[in-house]
Amino acid sequence: MEALGLRRKLALDIARKLRDQTVREHPLRLLFWECTLRCNLACRHCGSDCKATAGCKDMPIADFARVLDSVAAATDPHKVMINVTGGEPLVRADLEQCGRVMYEKGFPWGMVTNGMLLTPERYRRLLRSGLRALTISLDGIGEDHDWMRGRKGCYAKAVEAIRMVAASGEVEFDVVTCVNSRNFDHLAEIRDLLVGLGVKEWRMFTVFPLGRGAEDPELQVTDAQFRALMEFIKATRREGRIQASYGCEGFLGPYEGDVRDHFYMCNAGVTVGGVLCDGSISACTSIRNDYYQGNIYQDDFMEVWNTRFVPYRDRSWMRKDACADCRFWKYCLGNGMHLRDADGKLLLCHLRRLD
């Protein structure tokens, strides 16, 4: 691994001190709500293994409202963003009513969608319900996107939705792309398409070894491609036509500060909490059930937030195996919680991919 350089190390040391303070204070700033496990697509990389008919029923908004009341009693709701996820949130016919409940309780809210059901009328109704942020997934040009999403014709729907939202300028908006072996050579085409559609922000991520993507070699990029992806993001950011970035996971060594607007930190259980469809209290929805901290049907959310989450806030237990003698430990702290198996073993190291 190449040296970080003095300026980067100084910046990382400052970020580390700020991180330590944030961990001590653990202010809740982002709350995921997995409102459904139903989905109208069958994406190859789905980490939740969602289906058209899910074994877990949609969580009633009345149940999640009790969580919101718990949060609002302890902190300013205007400072806590609710990120509605699934499944596909738009399969809920009552999503607008759910949004209105969140909005009336003082919470800004947004969602991640595949765009299939985002018609102009639905979009207007969501805006009236307080929608403030939106992410739409686009995983390739034409057939590449349809291949990833498991349904023909969904590329056209996604592009139509992206064009509409970008033109409206009414919400914080970005597009997210799962970079894989099939679309890797077409990233420049995707970038140019998004620029042409008026998109200002574009996030990219690579598949981690969980869910449907764990055993699919076509979804994986090589280590050389992973480094080339970092270079592509750097070059795109320098070009300035669209603000490209890599997802929030993984310490990236010499690329820290160059491919994201922030230095790496796993905020799961620190500033990020989550409520899953069955009521489990977690952080980001990618984290396995071994690290759930309670359940809203037995526990008060904020009591759990303030008194549990120890494995998230004290990461010293992660310093073993490949992390035991890593000289970058103080910056990484063992990578993201979603990349630890039931025994605490690290499933993927981004730094090693770059080495």
Side-chain angles (χ1 to χ4, degrees):
M1 175 62 64
E2 62 193 77
L4 293 178
L6 179 59
R7 292 181 63 184
R8 200 183 310 269
K9 287 181 66 175
L10 288 173
L12 284 166
D13 284 332
I14 292 172
R16 180 167 57 92
K17 292 177 181 178
L18 294 173
R19 176 197 67 204
D20 293 344
Q21 179 180 341
T22 302
V23 171
R24 287 192 296 271
E25 298 172 355
H26 53 267
L28 182 64
R29 290 292 177 259
L30 176 64
L31 178 60
F32 285 99
W33 179 34
E34 188 181 65
C35 71
T36 183
L37 284 178
R38 294 182 293 136
C39 189
N40 51 356
L41 297 180
C43 304
R44 300 174 73 97
H45 63 312
C46 180
S48 302
D49 199 25
C50 299
K51 300 175 176 65
T53 302
C56 179
K57 293 182 179 180
D58 296 355
M59 179 180 286
I61 183 57
D63 295 354
F64 187 62
R66 290 195 291 272
V67 174
L68 299 178
D69 290 339
S70 174
V71 175
T75 190
D76 183 356
H78 297 91
K79 295 181 179 179
V80 182
M81 182 69 165
I82 309 299
N83 192 332
V84 181
T85 69
E88 168 53 48
L90 288 175
V91 302
R92 285 190 64 140
D94 67 341
L95 186 60
E96 290 86 341
Q97 292 91 324
C98 297
R100 176 57 59 178
V101 170
M102 292 182 278
Y103 177 75
E104 290 180 347
K105 290 181 178 294
F107 291 89
W109 71 279
M111 69 173 179
V112 181
T113 177
N114 58 42
M116 288 289 290
L117 300 174
L118 193 62
T119 63
E121 175 54 33
R122 192 89 195 265
Y123 182 49
R124 285 191 292 270
R125 295 203 308 266
L126 290 166
L127 290 173
R128 290 196 296 269
S129 300
L131 181 72
R132 292 292 176 266
L134 189 63
T135 295
I136 297 178
S137 300
L138 187 76
D139 295 316
I141 304 290
E143 291 183 358
D144 285 350
H145 179 82
D146 291 356
W147 169 83
M148 175 67 91
R149 295 283 157 175
R151 181 173 170 181
K152 290 184 178 181
C154 59
Y155 169 74
K157 289 283 189 179
V159 169
E160 182 180 342
I162 290 169
R163 179 183 288 110
M164 174 182 66
V165 178
S168 77
E170 301 244 23
V171 295
E172 292 185 26
F173 176 54
D174 69 349
V175 170
V176 64
T177 296
C178 176
V179 178
N180 56 77
S181 62
R182 180 159 173 159
N183 68 15
F184 181 82
D185 291 332
H186 304 287
L187 291 177
E189 296 173 54
I190 300 173
R191 176 196 61 204
D192 294 345
L193 170 68
L194 295 179
V195 170
L197 292 172
V199 176
K200 303 299 182 185
E201 296 186 29
W202 179 30
R203 277 184 296 137
M204 285 159 273
F205 70 97
T206 46
V207 171
F208 52 88
L210 288 173
R212 293 177 188 163
E215 305 299 330
D216 192 338
E218 290 185 280
L219 293 182
Q220 308 298 325
V221 295
T222 66
D223 292 349
Q225 287 174 325
F226 186 69
R227 179 178 280 271
L229 173 61
M230 298 300 113
E231 293 294 337
F232 172 79
I233 293 173
K234 279 179 62 176
T236 299
R237 288 169 71 91
R238 284 196 301 266
E239 185 184 57
R241 290 190 297 155
I242 189 170
Q243 184 71 350
S245 63
Y246 186 67
C248 62
E249 66 176 17
F251 178 69
L252 300 173
Y255 291 101
E256 285 294 324
D258 291 337
V259 296
R260 288 186 285 231
D261 296 336
H262 55 83
F263 290 111
Y264 169 71
M265 173 181 174
C266 178
N267 281 292
V270 179
T271 63
V272 178
V275 174
L276 305 188
C277 206
D278 64 355
S280 297
I281 297 173
S282 184
C284 80
T285 55
S286 297
I287 293 173
R288 53 185 297 119
N289 58 12
D290 308 275
Y291 302 103
Y292 295 170
Q293 299 298 295
N295 191 290
I296 66 167
Y297 294 110
Q298 289 86 43
D299 306 298
D300 176 77
F301 179 84
M302 284 306 292
E303 183 178 356
V304 171
W305 178 256
N306 287 321
T307 61
R308 303 185 196 178
F309 283 92
V310 174
Y312 293 77
R313 296 168 189 165
D314 180 0
R315 304 289 179 99
S316 58
W317 62 272
M318 291 183 173
R319 195 163 193 178
K320 59 182 181 179
D321 303 325
C323 298
D325 56 357
C326 178
R327 68 183 188 275
F328 299 108
W329 163 261
K330 64 180 180 180
Y331 303 128
C332 179
L333 296 185
N335 213 323
M337 285 290 296
H338 67 295
L339 293 174
R340 294 281 165 170
D341 69 9
D343 298 319
K345 182 180 178 181
L346 181 64
L347 299 173
L348 176 69
C349 175
H350 294 74
L351 201 59
R352 283 191 168 189
R353 302 202 75 182
L354 294 169
D355 190 1

